[in-house]
Amino acid sequence: MTKQVALILSGCGVYDGSEIYETTLTMLRLDQLGIVYECFAPDIDQHHVINHSTGEEMDETRNVLVESARLARGKARPLDELSVDDFDALILPGGFGAAKNLSNFAVKGADLEVVEGLRAAVQPFHEEGKPIGVMCIAPVMVPQLLGQGISVTVGSDASVAGAISAQGGLHKSCEVTDIVIDAANRVITTPAYMLAERISEAAEGIFKLVDRIDGWITDDQAREADKQN
């Protein structure tokens, strides 16, 4: 059976959008496993635009969906078109877009709110028990998106871990090459570039995350096939 995974992006570029290496590594591993994927992003203006050469804010406006399409080779759809019925699992790569465009964590800290439409897109996957993968800084949104008491990791960053705990989440420290699995909630997280110093380090954890999601989808499809027989 075909496996299909949705990716939610937040722009293009580590400082103001989705982390490019994290997203590309996710796409690569999905493709290597023969999993079809599709990208979605909110059709909104970015929080701001960062010059990635200097780290300085630029006096211009960019659209999150348009920028995400850069990363998806033109194939990105508006977030409100994402339907849980069309996919077996969901993955949210990191990058500061998660903290600036998908949420306002960069401004509000533990009092963050997620962007309109994100919870409505993500919660149905959790309600139906479909696997959800989250990486880098994006796990800080998990308590707002999925509820309290879910184990996640951002690696070892004390301030972000504290924000997760303050929202009722459970943070577990983790090496960059590993993953944290909350089997009861079917949520998998990995630190990626919260800790990675080399792309190969990020790849190891991200590949483990995607591999585990692949395994869960296989199990789900096998159970569904048994029901139909």
Side-chain angles (χ1 to χ4, degrees):
M1 297 176 66
T2 301
K3 300 173 182 177
Q4 301 191 76
V5 173
L7 276 65
I8 296 180
L9 305 184
S10 59
C12 181
V14 57
Y15 299 127
D16 57 11
S18 290
E19 215 293 323
I20 293 173
Y21 289 176
E22 291 175 4
T23 306
T24 303
L25 288 167
T26 301
M27 294 173 174
L28 172 63
R29 190 58 180 160
L30 289 168
D31 185 63
Q32 288 175 335
L33 295 171
I35 300 174
V36 177
Y37 62 85
E38 192 165 1
C39 299
F40 296 84
D43 188 4
I44 59 174
D45 288 341
Q46 291 184 184
H47 171 70
H48 60 191
V49 178
I50 297 295
N51 181 325
H52 278 60
S53 293
T54 66
E56 297 177 354
E57 186 171 349
M58 301 175 68
D59 185 19
E60 62 177 88
T61 300
R62 296 189 185 184
N63 178 277
V64 174
L65 177 59
V66 172
E67 291 301 295
S68 296
R70 289 180 182 271
L71 191 46
R73 294 181 60 84
K75 297 179 180 179
R77 293 169 56 191
L79 183 61
D80 59 12
E81 294 183 8
L82 173 55
S83 171
V84 66
D85 296 333
D86 297 332
F87 297 95
D88 301 298
L90 175 69
I91 298 177
L92 285 80
F96 280 107
K100 297 176 179 178
N101 302 328
L102 297 185
S103 76
N104 57 8
F105 173 69
V107 176
K108 295 277 191 170
D111 295 323
L112 71 92
E113 298 174 339
V114 297
V115 69
E116 182 178 357
L118 183 61
R119 187 180 292 108
V122 174
Q123 277 191 339
F125 285 85
H126 188 234
E127 291 167 358
E128 295 193 15
K130 294 186 176 182
I132 299 173
V134 195
M135 59 191 69
C136 193
I137 200 169
V140 77
M141 300 186 293
V142 166
Q144 298 298 320
L145 293 174
L146 305 179
Q148 299 183 353
I150 298 174
S151 296
V152 299
T153 191
V154 292
S156 56
D157 187 294
S159 62
V160 181
I164 291 170
S165 299
Q167 298 175 74
L170 300 175
H171 183 268
K172 294 186 175 181
S173 296
C174 179
E175 297 295 326
V176 63
T177 55
D178 210 350
I179 56 178
V180 165
I181 301 170
D182 188 318
N185 288 287
R186 307 196 89 194
V187 174
I188 309 173
T189 52
T190 191
Y193 272 96
M194 287 294 288
L195 288 177
E197 296 181 358
R198 298 161 54 201
I199 190 170
S200 58
E201 292 179 340
E204 190 168 346
I206 290 169
F207 281 20
K208 285 180 181 178
L209 180 151
V210 175
D211 288 352
R212 182 53 65 96
I213 286 178
D214 178 47
W216 276 347
I217 295 174
T218 297
D219 294 343
D220 292 344
Q221 291 183 341
R223 281 192 294 270
E224 187 61 29
D226 288 342
K227 289 180 183 179
Q228 296 176 1
N229 292 334

